[in-house]
Amino acid sequence: LLLSTNVGVPPFPPPVRNGNKLVFTWTTGSLQSSTNVLGPWTPTGATSPYTTDMSNNVQMYFRLSNP
């Protein structure tokens, strides 16, 4: 899990773990995800809070982007 914040977006607070799930919260920007830290990055279309399931064992990276 990598949390990254692009320039111009407030810091990305760490997610909260709840069993096999991670809950992300943020106040501004759009959440993007990728299976590779170098991208390509895809908008999730999610709103805060966003919950993702970690039990599928897929490596995922998340970042906030300033639209």
Side-chain angles (χ1 to χ4, degrees):
L1 170 68
L2 171 74
L3 303 176
S4 171
T5 303
N6 286 352
V7 175
V9 178
F12 196 174
V16 175
R17 185 171 181 170
N18 184 1
N20 285 336
K21 300 188 183 305
L22 283 179
V23 181
F24 295 91
T25 57
W26 63 96
T27 56
T28 187
S30 352
L31 186 65
Q32 297 179 336
S33 66
S34 177
T35 56
N36 185 315
V37 71
L38 299 176
W41 292 92
T42 305
T44 63
T47 56
S48 180
Y50 172 73
T51 302
T52 187
D53 190 345
M54 298 185 308
S55 63
N56 60 15
N57 295 320
V58 174
Q59 183 172 331
M60 291 296 295
Y61 299 89
F62 295 90
R63 72 178 185 181
L64 285 178
S65 177
N66 199 5

